[in-house]
Amino acid sequence: MMQAVGLRIDGLSKRFAHGVKGEVYAARDVSLDVQPGEFLTLLGPSGCGKTTTLRMIAGFERPDAGRIFFGGRDVTDLAANDRGIGFVFQNYALFPHLSIFENIAYGLRVRGQDGDSIIRAVSEVMALVGLSGYEQQFPAQLSGGEQQRVALARAIVIRPRVLLFDEPLSNLDAKLRVQMRAEIRALQRRLAITTVYVTHDQEEAMAVSDRIALMNRGTIVQVGTAQDLYHRPASAFVAQFVGRVNMVAGHLEQSASVSALGRHFVLHEIPPGVASGDPVRLVLRPEGFALSRGPIANGAVAAKVLSRTFLGEKIEYELDCLGERLQSVRYNAGAGALFEEGETIALRCTDETVIALKEENP
Ligand SMILES: Nc1ncnc2c1ncn2[C@@H]1O[C@H](COP(=O)(O)OP(=O)(O)O)[C@@H](O)[C@H]1O
Ligand SMILES: [Mg+2]
């Protein structure tokens, strides 16, 4: 196995001319360190600059400013072909007139490898991605999932130093997406290739990544593990993009508490730059509420069930609690445990489940 290389991007910027808005920054001063063998995902809403950043790493797009390093070596001025990257596109980008074998062999032929070593390398990766036997088929004869496996095989057969994915699963149905993302993750672990993966799907990002870099409007707003982003969001944008969330307004009071939902929440961490008396936003995750029938006592507050969505393994309830609309979720504990629309139930939440954020636009 080859030694995995680290990837560093330093201050990458790219502007495009925009018909209506004039010049727009697709990426603005983007810096990032990816460890050797790490699986890092660029996550963010459509148009935030993920593809542009990935294409600059690949060498398909020239940055206006900034440098790119593979294993400490500056590759900014190298053409894509000379960087040692494998790239998996959203639309697979297979050659329709070439067999599956020749599609996968293409990068090796371009590099002038001899016939025997091509057969060996292609057979090996075809087995790795579960496509043995498909050598003489053509892309149009394959399902979407199989075509994506061909694209993956083609990307790894050249033994890239850096593997890049741009929304590789968006053309697949939901079940296949879940299966393929697990396969991609397992293969990446096995080959230990430094990987940058682009998606707008937060669940996919959480499922596959060692770390996630969340982007918004051309910049990286937070980098961390899925758990970091979920439990310690740096801003309301992060809290809302990663998982579902309730935001409740309040003020920081003496002794680090905030009153909301009829009780005082004692914060375990005061957000930076917030002083006593300042407005804050409390982040409450839907799974952080304990819901029950029975008396409203022992720190509970009354909540009315506005709607119920039965999803099988879990049930989502929309609640009204002292005028706040709250999203909550519970695991299914059997038919008798379901709450009815219009019912008033007891809601509890503990200090541990609450995060406070600085109010950004008070
Ligand atoms: N070739 C291009 N010409 C003009 N504008 C572009 C071009 N590529 C991207 N953009 C603009 O740059 C911004 C970021 O695009 P992109 O990197 O594709 O975002 P994402 O992949 O996160 O959806 C968008 O506003 C997009 O319209
Ligand atoms: Mg994109």
Side-chain angles (χ1 to χ4, degrees):
M1 192 183 294
M2 269 189 326
Q3 191 70 36
V5 299
L7 164 69
R8 185 156 73 85
I9 61 180
D10 188 12
L12 286 188
S13 291
K14 182 75 189 177
R15 283 183 310 268
F16 289 110
H18 188 284
V20 182
K21 298 184 231 166
E23 292 246 294
V24 291
Y25 274 92
R28 182 172 225 147
D29 198 15
V30 176
S31 297
L32 192 60
D33 254 304
V34 186
Q35 301 305 308
E38 186 177 25
F39 195 122
L40 182 125
T41 295
L42 298 175
L43 171 68
S46 177
C48 73
K50 305 178 298 293
T51 293
T52 302
T53 303
L54 195 74
R55 289 173 58 83
M56 288 192 285
I57 296 170
F60 299 150
E61 204 81 72
R62 237 201 109 69
D64 295 327
R67 311 301 299 179
I68 301 156
F69 303 87
F70 286 9
R73 176 167 172 234
D74 189 333
V75 299
T76 319
D77 299 321
L78 288 185
N81 276 338
D82 300 325
R83 291 188 187 190
I85 53 133
F87 201 104
V88 181
F89 297 88
Q90 175 175 350
N91 59 2
Y92 322 138
L94 304 180
F95 303 114
H97 57 287
L98 293 183
S99 69
I100 300 309
F101 182 94
E102 288 303 331
N103 261 280
I104 298 170
Y106 182 81
L108 301 175
R109 294 220 190 280
V110 170
R111 283 168 175 76
Q113 287 206 9
D114 70 84
D116 280 352
S117 74
I118 289 178
I119 291 174
R120 236 178 300 125
V122 172
S123 305
E124 192 188 328
V125 294
M126 287 189 76
L128 260 182
V129 300
L131 281 179
S132 299
Y134 283 72
E135 287 78 0
Q136 301 316 318
Q137 305 287 106
F138 284 83
Q141 298 171 296
L142 270 56
S143 70
E146 288 163 346
Q147 290 186 46
Q148 195 50 285
R149 290 203 174 94
V150 177
L152 182 57
R154 189 178 60 177
I156 60 177
V157 75
I158 60 161
R159 299 178 165 268
R161 302 199 300 158
V162 175
L163 191 52
L164 306 170
F165 293 88
D166 193 1
E167 310 258 8
L169 308 181
S170 28
N171 291 339
L172 305 177
D173 65 54
K175 273 220 164 103
L176 200 52
R177 273 205 303 273
V178 171
Q179 186 192 332
M180 280 298 293
R181 78 188 186 201
E183 286 183 26
I184 287 174
R185 180 53 169 149
L187 193 65
Q188 189 272 347
R189 278 228 169 98
R190 189 155 157 196
L191 301 174
I193 304 175
T194 310
T195 297
V196 182
Y197 186 99
V198 161
T199 181
H200 66 276
D201 181 329
Q202 50 105 3
E203 186 187 297
E204 190 175 308
M206 290 202 205
V208 297
S209 315
D210 291 315
R211 283 188 309 153
I212 297 168
L214 184 59
M215 294 186 72
N216 191 25
R217 299 175 180 201
T219 63
I220 292 178
V221 294
Q222 191 171 356
V223 185
T225 64
Q227 293 182 36
D228 291 337
L229 268 55
Y230 193 78
H231 291 302
R232 299 167 59 89
S235 65
F237 173 80
V238 179
Q240 273 164 329
F241 200 85
V242 181
R244 296 199 311 140
V245 79
N246 298 290
M247 297 273 193
V248 178
H251 285 82
L252 186 67
E253 294 160 17
Q254 295 298 334
S255 66
S257 73
V258 177
S259 53
L261 303 180
R263 67 185 288 269
H264 287 280
F265 289 96
V266 179
L267 303 182
H268 46 93
E269 203 170 329
I270 296 174
V274 174
S276 200
D278 285 351
V280 292
R281 278 211 253 183
L282 294 184
V283 172
L284 300 121
R285 297 290 185 186
E287 71 280 14
F289 300 120
L291 309 178
S292 62
R293 288 208 166 94
I296 313 297
N298 299 326
V301 55
K304 187 173 172 194
V305 178
L306 298 176
S307 71
R308 176 176 83 191
T309 308
F310 182 78
L311 296 170
E313 67 187 39
K314 63 185 179 183
I315 301 104
E316 293 176 353
Y317 294 101
E318 195 184 357
L319 305 171
D320 180 333
C321 181
L322 300 170
E324 299 278 356
R325 255 171 196 260
L326 301 177
Q327 307 296 326
S328 69
V329 65
R330 289 187 105 201
Y331 273 96
N332 190 352
L338 300 188
F339 304 126
E340 303 300 329
E341 289 182 5
E343 187 178 354
T344 295
I345 57 174
L347 177 149
R348 290 182 180 78
C349 48
T350 61
D351 293 341
E352 287 71 49
T353 60
V354 175
I355 306 155
L357 294 173
K358 185 180 160 84
E359 185 62 64
E360 283 156 45
N361 306 301

